């Protein structure tokens, strides 16, 4: 029996599901190994139970919480797919701004004032915080990154169909920078979050000449005090450091810690 | 074997000629300040003056990250297992004495006990053209302190700059063969030229330990509960960079994988691992024998200056290339750690 | 069985990373976590007690597993596999007739000759009985060559006891003390307590007693304290240590304890050789 696999999207850009579809060289092979029963990006079908549910997107509204709990109850394994589901991603920056203020920034004051009188928008003001999936239901595996990494997705599928457990080492991005013989971003005068961020991405950003902004989340053993001190020594203001940490990790302890 | 003398500007042509018929790796600029051993191509820059140690050492070409150990094909439950051993010929050119030392130590470690066929086959098919250092590469290097500066072992050809010339000294039959057809003029007064080069060598050459090298293993061995370990992990990220760029770090992890298209076929490969990474010493069931960064720092330093020196009767398993300190964004330098251990011994004795 | 390792251009005649394929003859559920495997190799393993093999399932991975049977002339290899991770979970799903890869044997192991004419005390905690069985079997097979034999085997609950039938059959020949930390409301015909408890009661002659010890890291400290109280010289205590291993041949670095490699000089150590090695036992 091929495992039944379903994809669900919450608040996110659906880019991770697209990244799955973009695994063109292996997608047909994967479809030979698993049975996809729900996938809004590709097909439409519903099933009562799944072996693996992939959750894309962060969780905002109470109705999303209920929907997520329902999916968890119907799934043997639940996988957080991508940075939104794993760590809240960029939208969690709104955790530090009142919803009404946020609405004003995006749509202007006139629209905001109008929306505040419209009952259709009221649920929006009730939403208080962007949350990662793990804050609401137990997550079995995390496919980190913005977007998720196809090689890790393939590794997870292989492990699940062969009865083993996928393994994602909790090592820094630096490990892959060294394997790629990258010049360290700091040696280019950049400031980088690679030392405190989960690797597994192949250090793709640094390899291509950029820096790591930490989209895969903060390592459990991260030496945050040392990292902050290093960024200060490199001339970053505390406000800039806060921005840097909050970019992807606002829902994570790192993003929140700086607020204290 | 005869020693030859050529003009400095003849060296790039010679390397280029070798590269037309062989895979030749030479340190080339990578990014703004780094160097990498990369294949020499038409137009590659071949120069020796502006150099500091490559991001990873040339020895890593002999144990590349992710190398496949074997491939398998299952037919039913039967399996055909075929080793993947790379026996292609390559030349590492522009290797400095510290990295010669690193390769020599890797050779010993891979030869010891059960010989590692993957490494040793590559090594047997790798020729090395080394280049002497008359001035320290930068402030981070301390190759003289670890006894690597005068390493010649393992080189097939050794190049020594003397004024505007270069002494070309074949040290093996293979080196001699690589020089066949080059028609380099034989140097008449080799010893005088060498003495001249030696006279121009910087003194002292780079940083020096506070104690003679022979005493360092004993000093390191005496310190287990030392405040030095804790001091040098305050800023540590446990990112493993120091391990991964080290010419004598050869720890690895092994993993299996199968093909998606034909799930009955696959491979086993190994990839670089490092004892500074948090889970390196974890066993099944979750117990971690070195859970604190200071435990891991102590293990790394003792491995370089105590454990492996004892095992292989070598003066130092650190080559003094300075890569770990140069690459550490936290500014942790094994040279400083050793000197602190020296100070700490004197303070406590 | 059809395994071909094609001769390549390697200058070395033997590739230490190539597994030999072995056929699973029997799989038995011992406890909720442990399964017993009997596999058939293409040639005798030729191991010493206390050695280990690298056991693999092609495409999934490889792990060190203690040999659990005494040296034998035939091609049989017995092991206990605890379901403790990705790979061992796959092993637990295997059936007779399926094949596994085996490399080894590796490690130092016990030298039976060191134990001739000695009184031997085996102390096993949990899964530690699996490797010790590889020594218990040959010792009990030649009772004339050894003195008094005592086997102390402890585990957490009756449901976690390994090799119950073996322990019962050994108890007809030698003194066997079976313990559990707690009965957990299950039927139990042994003692309740820790493996350290019976040591004080044993009739031991420190001059001629050898102790073989294997169990979880937490057990060693307390057992060694008890053995000190009984004045057993440390040169007569052998401990079997556990480390993560990726190669089995002293290359991958994972099992390094100071200057020694657990897979080479160990996993069985004479205690006086490692007692001053920090990190060895905790």
């Amino acid at each position: 029996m091929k495992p039944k696999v379903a994809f669900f999207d919450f608040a996110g850009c659906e880019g991770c599901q697209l990244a799955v579809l973009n695994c063109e060289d292996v997608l047909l092979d994967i479809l030979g190994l698993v049975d996809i029963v729900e996938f809004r990006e590709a097909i439409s079908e519903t099933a009562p139970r799944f072996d693996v549910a992939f959750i894309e997107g962060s969780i905002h509204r109470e109705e999303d919480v209920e929907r997520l709990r329902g999916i968890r109850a119907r799934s043997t394994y639940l996988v957080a797919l991508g940075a939104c589901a794993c760590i809240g991603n960029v939208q969690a920056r709104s955790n530090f701004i009142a919803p009404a203020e946020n609405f004003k920034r995006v749509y202007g004051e006139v629209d905001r004032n109008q929306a505040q009188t419209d009952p259709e928008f009221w649920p929006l003001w009730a939403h208080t915080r962007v949350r990662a999936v793990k804050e609401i239901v137990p997550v079995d595996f995390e496919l980190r990154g913005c977007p998720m990494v196809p090689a890790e997705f393939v590794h997870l599928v292989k492990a699940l169909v062969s009865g083993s457990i996928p393994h994602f080492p909790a090592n820094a991005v630096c490990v892959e920078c060294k394997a790629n013989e990258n010049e360290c971003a700091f040696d280019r005068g950049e400031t980088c979050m690679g030392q405190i961020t989960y690797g597994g991405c192949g250090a793709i950003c640094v390899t291509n000449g950029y820096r790591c902004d930490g989209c895969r989340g903060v390592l459990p053993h991260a030496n945050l005090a040392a990292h902050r001190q290093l960024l200060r020594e490199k001339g970053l203001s505390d406000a800039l450091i806060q921005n840097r940490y909050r970019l992807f990790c606002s829902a994570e302890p790192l993003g929140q810690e700086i607020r204290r | 074997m005869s020693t030859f003398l050529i003009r400095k500007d003849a060296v790039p042509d010679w390397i280029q000629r070798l590269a037309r018929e062989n895979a030749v790796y030479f340190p080339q600029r990578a990014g703004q300040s780094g160097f990498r051993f990369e294949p020499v191509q038409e137009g590659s820059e071949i120069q020796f003056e502006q150099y500091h140690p490559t991001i990873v050492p040339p020895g890593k070409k002999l144990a590349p990250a992710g190398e496949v150990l074997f491939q398998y094909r299952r037919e039913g439950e039967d399996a055909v297992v075929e080793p993947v051993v790379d026996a292609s010929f390559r030349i590492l050119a522009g290797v400095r004495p510290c990295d010669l030392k690193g390769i020599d130590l890797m050779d010993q470690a891979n030869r010891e006990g059960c010989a590692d066929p993957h490494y040793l086959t590559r090594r047997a098919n790798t020729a090395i053209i080394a280049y002497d250092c008359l001035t320290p590469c930068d402030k981070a290097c301390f190759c003289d302190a670890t006894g690597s500066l005068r390493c010649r072992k393992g080189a097939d050809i050794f190049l020594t700059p003397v004024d505007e010339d270069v002494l070309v000294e074949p040290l093996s039959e293979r080196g001699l063969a690589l020089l066949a057809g080059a028609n380099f003029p034989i140097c008449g007064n080799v010893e005088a030229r060498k003495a001249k080069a030696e006279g121009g060598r910087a003194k002292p050459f780079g940083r020096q330990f506070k104690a003679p090298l022979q005493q360092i293993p004993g000093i390191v061995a005496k310190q287990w509960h030392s405040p030095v370990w804790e001091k040098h992990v305050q800023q540590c990220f446990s990112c493993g960079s120091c391990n991964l760029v080290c010419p004598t770090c050869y720890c690895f992890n092994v993993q299996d994988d199968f093909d998606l298209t034909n799930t009955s076929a696959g491979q086993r490969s190994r990839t670089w691992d490092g004892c500074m990474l948090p889970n390196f010493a974890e066993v099944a069931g979750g117990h971690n024998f070195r859970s604190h960064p200071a435990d891991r720092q102590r293990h790394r330093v003792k491995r370089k200056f105590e454990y492996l020196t004892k095992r292989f009767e070598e003066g130092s398993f650190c080559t003094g290339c300075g890569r770990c300190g140069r690459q550490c964004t936290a500014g942790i330098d094994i040279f400083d750690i050793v000197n602190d251990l020296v100070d700490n011994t004197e303070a406590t004795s | 069985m059809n395994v071909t390792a094609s001769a390549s251009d390697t200058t070395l005649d033997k590739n230490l990373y190539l597994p030999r394929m072995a056929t699973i003859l029997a799989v038995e559920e011992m406890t909720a976590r442990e399964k017993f495997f009997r596999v058939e190799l293409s040639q005798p393993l030729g191991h010493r007690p206390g050695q280990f093999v690298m056991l693999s399932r092609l495409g999934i991975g490889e792990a060190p597993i203690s040999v659990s049977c005494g040296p034998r002339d035939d091609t049989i290899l017995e092991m206990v596999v605890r379901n403790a991770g990705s790979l061992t979970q796959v092993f637990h799903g295997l059936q007779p007739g399926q094949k596994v890869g085996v490399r080894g044997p590796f490690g130092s192991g016990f030298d039976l000759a060191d134990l001739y004419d000695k009184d031997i005390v085996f102390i096993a905690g949990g899964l530690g009985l699996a490797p010790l069985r590889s020594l218990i079997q040959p010792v009990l097979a030649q009772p004339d060559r050894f003195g008094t034999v005592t086997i102390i085997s402890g585990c957490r609950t009756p449901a976690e006891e390994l090799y119950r039938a073996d322990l019962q059959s050994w108890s007809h020949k030698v003194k066997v003390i079976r313990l559990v930390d707690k009965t957990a409301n299950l039927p139990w015909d042994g003692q309740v307590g820790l493996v350290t408890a019976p040591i004080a009661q044993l009739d031991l002659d420190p001059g001629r007693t050898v102790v073989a010890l294997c169990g979880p890291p937490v057990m060693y400290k307390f057992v060694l304290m008890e053995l000190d109280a009984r004045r057993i010289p440390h040169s007569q205590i052998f401990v079997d240590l556990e480390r993560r291993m990726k190669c089995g041949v002293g290359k991958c670095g994972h099992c390094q304890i100071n200057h020694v490699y657990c897979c080479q000089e160990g996993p069985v150590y004479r205690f006086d050789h490692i007692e001053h090695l920090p990190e060895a036992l905790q």
Side-chain angles (χ1 to χ4, degrees):
Chain A
M1 270 284 280
K2 291 198 282 186
K4 282 189 173 30
V5 171
F7 290 81
F8 300 94
D9 52 296
F10 288 79
C13 70
E14 303 191 10
C16 290
Q17 292 190 55
L18 272 176
V20 170
L21 293 179
N22 281 341
C23 300
E24 282 162 357
D25 48 335
V26 293
L27 189 61
L28 287 177
D29 293 325
I30 291 171
L31 291 175
L33 296 176
V34 302
D35 205 0
I36 296 182
V37 292
E38 289 210 21
F39 199 151
R40 210 178 68 130
E41 286 284 355
I43 52 171
S44 180
E45 199 180 326
T46 53
R49 265 204 77 79
F50 330 100
D51 295 299
V52 190
F54 288 95
I55 305 295
E56 191 196 26
S58 54
I59 312 300
H60 297 215
R61 304 168 300 180
E62 275 313 302
E63 62 205 80
D64 298 331
V65 170
E66 286 315 306
R67 182 174 162 232
L68 179 61
R69 290 198 174 117
I71 295 165
R72 175 73 263 193
R74 289 155 72 199
S75 321
T76 308
Y77 290 114
L78 187 137
V79 181
L81 179 68
C84 303
C86 291
I87 58 170
N89 210 342
V90 290
Q91 59 268 37
R93 285 169 67 96
S94 68
N95 286 352
F96 303 105
I97 308 164
E101 170 63 18
N102 209 17
F103 199 104
K104 188 181 92 178
R105 285 194 193 177
V106 178
Y107 299 104
E109 195 164 3
V110 175
D111 282 357
R112 193 273 309 268
N113 292 345
Q114 199 178 346
Q116 277 183 319
T117 61
D118 184 344
E120 200 192 321
F121 285 96
W122 287 356
L124 189 65
W125 314 129
H127 124 247
T128 51
R129 209 163 65 78
V130 175
R131 282 172 285 179
V133 172
K134 68 187 171 201
E135 294 183 65
I136 294 152
V137 296
V139 171
D140 298 298
F141 307 110
E142 291 174 312
L143 290 174
R144 293 170 175 274
C146 182
M148 68 101 196
V149 175
E152 289 193 318
F153 175 74
V154 169
H155 169 72
L156 179 118
V157 170
K158 283 179 176 178
L160 293 177
V161 299
S162 60
S164 67
I165 302 165
H167 176 61
F168 304 102
N171 288 334
V173 173
C174 306
V175 169
E176 284 151 342
C177 264
K178 298 303 168 284
N180 292 347
E181 291 188 56
N182 287 341
E183 180 182 39
C184 182
F186 284 90
D187 288 340
R188 288 192 260 113
E190 260 294 359
T191 46
C192 182
M193 281 178 66
Q195 311 104 311
I196 57 168
T197 301
Y198 274 96
C201 52
I204 183 169
C205 295
V206 187
T207 305
N208 285 287
Y210 190 56
R211 63 177 185 232
C212 173
D213 272 339
C215 76
R216 294 175 59 83
V218 182
L219 283 163
H221 62 263
N223 189 342
L224 297 178
H227 196 256
R228 187 169 298 124
Q229 187 184 327
L230 176 64
L231 295 193
R232 279 186 190 133
E233 283 166 11
K234 298 293 173 189
L236 268 62
S237 66
D238 282 2
L240 196 50
I241 293 170
Q242 170 176 309
N243 257 334
R244 199 63 87 64
Y245 285 173
R246 281 186 182 178
L247 180 57
F248 287 104
C249 300
S250 290
E252 290 274 281
L254 173 65
Q256 290 164 26
E257 180 188 89
I258 202 102
R259 185 168 41 157
R260 287 201 290 269
Chain B
M1 284 181 225
S2 308
T3 296
F4 308 94
L5 187 73
I6 58 174
R7 299 275 304 168
K8 261 185 187 165
D9 53 19
V11 177
D13 286 348
W14 171 51
I15 302 279
Q16 283 286 3
R17 276 205 304 281
L18 287 173
R20 270 175 226 137
E21 286 166 19
N22 306 285
V24 179
Y25 295 85
F26 190 87
Q28 288 165 59
R29 284 174 209 280
Q32 297 177 10
S33 63
F35 285 88
R36 261 197 298 255
F37 275 87
E38 286 192 340
V40 173
Q41 293 162 340
E42 208 67 48
S44 292
E45 187 191 16
I46 310 285
Q47 57 84 28
F48 295 91
E49 275 74 24
Q50 287 168 15
Y51 170 85
H52 72 77
T54 47
I55 296 163
V56 304
K60 299 287 183 197
K61 295 278 180 238
L62 307 174
E67 74 170 315
V68 177
L69 298 174
F70 64 75
Q71 291 178 325
Y72 71 86
R73 252 184 354 268
R74 262 209 299 258
E75 285 149 19
E77 277 296 312
D78 284 324
V80 181
V81 180
E82 298 204 32
V84 177
V85 179
D86 176 4
S88 63
F89 180 71
R90 70 186 65 72
I91 300 172
L92 298 178
V95 174
R96 303 296 173 130
C98 61
D99 288 335
L100 273 184
K101 182 73 186 172
I103 291 170
D104 173 42
L105 295 171
M106 290 268 285
D107 290 351
Q108 294 187 42
N110 280 287
R111 247 188 256 120
E112 188 214 16
C114 296
D116 188 299
H118 302 273
Y119 176 91
L120 292 172
T121 303
R122 270 203 203 84
R123 179 67 186 94
N125 292 293
T126 300
I128 298 178
I129 301 173
Y131 189 89
D132 204 358
C133 288
L134 298 182
T135 50
C137 295
D138 62 10
K139 284 178 185 159
C141 99
F142 53 101
C143 57
D144 192 28
T146 58
S148 310
L149 177 59
R150 285 174 176 77
C151 182
R152 303 290 179 268
K153 199 170 157 197
D156 296 283
I157 299 172
F158 198 87
L159 309 179
T160 309
V162 193
D163 301 330
E164 287 313 300
D165 300 320
V166 174
L167 272 175
V168 181
E169 199 176 353
L171 297 179
S172 72
E173 290 300 327
R174 182 162 60 194
L176 203 57
L178 286 175
L179 288 165
N183 290 323
F184 289 158
I186 289 174
C187 178
N189 46 355
V190 177
E191 291 315 314
R193 300 272 179 175
K194 278 189 182 172
K196 181 133 198 272
E198 193 55 47
R201 199 190 297 273
K203 288 182 191 66
F205 195 92
R207 302 188 290 175
Q208 303 291 329
F209 290 138
K210 290 181 178 175
L213 183 62
Q214 306 87 280
Q215 291 176 17
I216 302 287
I219 289 167
V220 173
K222 275 194 212 103
Q223 304 194 52
W224 188 263
H225 300 287
S226 167
V228 174
W229 310 122
E230 188 61 46
K231 174 185 169 190
H232 287 277
V233 291
Q234 290 302 311
Q235 306 300 109
C236 178
F237 296 110
S238 297
C239 73
S241 291
C242 49
N243 293 139
L244 301 169
V245 302
C246 176
T248 67
C249 274
Y250 53 91
C251 290
F252 58 84
N253 218 337
V254 175
Q255 65 242 327
D256 281 30
D257 195 12
F258 58 86
D259 296 346
L260 267 178
T261 313
N262 173 13
T263 53
S264 58
Q267 61 186 38
R268 181 167 297 167
S269 59
R270 62 177 164 191
T271 193
W272 303 343
D273 207 343
C275 61
M276 290 300 284
L277 295 170
N279 304 322
F280 185 81
E282 196 173 280
V283 295
H287 182 78
N288 189 339
F289 283 89
R290 290 189 287 274
S291 57
H292 191 277
D295 302 340
R296 302 195 284 272
Q297 186 70 277
R298 175 174 60 204
H299 183 79
R300 177 173 83 103
V301 175
K302 281 181 171 265
R303 197 171 146 100
K304 299 299 169 205
F305 289 100
E306 177 191 344
Y307 303 158
L308 294 182
T309 53
K310 197 185 288 183
R311 204 173 173 93
F312 294 96
E313 295 178 3
E314 276 286 337
S316 166
F317 245 72
C318 169
T319 69
C321 69
R323 284 187 179 87
C324 54
R326 216 176 274 120
Q327 291 284 329
C328 181
T329 54
I332 301 165
D333 190 337
I334 199 167
F335 176 86
D336 296 335
I337 300 177
V338 170
N339 273 345
D340 278 359
L341 291 170
V342 174
D343 286 344
N344 191 54
T345 306
E346 284 162 2
T348 51
S349 62
Chain C
M1 207 171 308
N2 174 25
V3 177
T4 51
S6 74
S8 70
D9 294 336
T10 170
T11 53
L12 301 133
D13 52 355
K14 204 173 96 185
N15 190 317
L16 58 98
Y17 296 111
L18 288 187
R20 290 176 282 158
M21 299 310 285
T23 310
I24 298 174
L25 298 179
V27 185
E28 289 162 26
E29 197 166 303
M30 304 180 96
T31 71
R33 284 197 296 173
E34 281 100 4
K35 280 191 176 181
F36 171 83
F37 287 81
R38 182 179 293 118
V39 306
E40 176 154 41
L41 305 154
S42 52
Q43 60 198 64
L45 187 64
H47 69 285
R48 304 196 324 171
Q51 286 194 296
F52 68 95
V53 294
M54 295 297 289
L55 185 69
S56 64
R57 179 71 178 162
L58 292 178
I60 308 296
E62 188 180 56
I65 306 286
S66 299
V67 177
S68 193
C69 55
R72 41 202 302 166
D73 299 327
D74 61 14
T75 53
I76 299 299
L77 160 63
E78 293 175 343
M79 296 161 289
V80 178
V81 177
R82 171 176 285 178
N83 187 349
S86 173
L87 175 66
T88 46
Q89 176 171 307
V90 171
F91 286 144
H92 271 226
L94 296 177
Q95 304 295 326
Q98 290 192 283
K99 293 198 176 179
V100 288
V102 174
R103 293 193 298 124
F106 296 123
S108 54
F110 295 96
D111 194 342
L112 274 180
D114 287 348
L115 309 178
Y116 288 158
D117 302 321
K118 298 282 198 305
D119 293 343
I120 307 172
V121 180
F122 294 96
I123 304 175
L127 191 53
L129 186 58
L132 286 188
R133 183 175 177 262
S134 70
L135 182 60
I136 294 172
Q137 282 188 340
V139 166
L140 295 193
Q142 332 168 53
D144 301 343
R145 311 202 78 148
F146 305 95
T148 320
V149 173
T150 310
I151 299 169
I152 303 172
S153 173
C155 54
R156 280 188 289 196
T157 69
E160 292 177 33
E161 187 175 44
L162 300 175
Y163 287 123
R164 179 166 299 159
D166 282 14
L167 287 164
Q168 277 162 352
S169 104
W170 295 337
S171 70
H172 300 310
K173 299 178 192 164
V174 298
K175 185 171 189 178
V176 174
I177 303 169
R178 294 159 54 224
L179 300 109
V180 290
D181 297 353
K182 54 180 192 284
T183 59
N185 297 321
L186 293 166
W188 176 242
D189 55 350
Q191 301 182 18
V192 177
L194 301 173
V195 290
T196 44
I199 298 172
Q201 266 73 50
L202 294 178
D203 180 19
L204 298 179
D205 174 354
R208 49 170 292 153
T209 300
V210 168
V211 180
L213 182 58
C214 186
V218 61
M219 187 184 96
Y220 289 98
K221 186 178 158 194
F222 297 103
V223 170
L224 291 163
M225 274 164 56
E226 289 295 323
L227 294 174
D228 276 347
R230 300 301 310 272
R231 304 195 179 284
I232 306 291
H234 290 183
S235 59
Q236 288 163 223
I237 300 172
F238 292 86
V239 295
D240 191 343
L241 303 184
E242 184 201 4
R243 286 296 186 279
R244 191 171 153 218
M245 296 171 189
K246 287 291 175 181
C247 70
V249 292
K251 302 279 183 267
C252 79
H254 284 274
C255 70
Q256 192 179 18
I257 307 169
N258 287 259
H259 62 283
V260 300
Y261 288 92
C262 205
C263 70
Q264 300 278 283
E265 291 84 359
V268 176
Y269 292 94
R270 218 173 83 181
F271 181 52
D272 61 328
H273 290 167
I274 58 150
E275 63 181 320
H276 300 300
L277 284 187
E279 287 179 3
L281 294 177
Q282 52 191 307

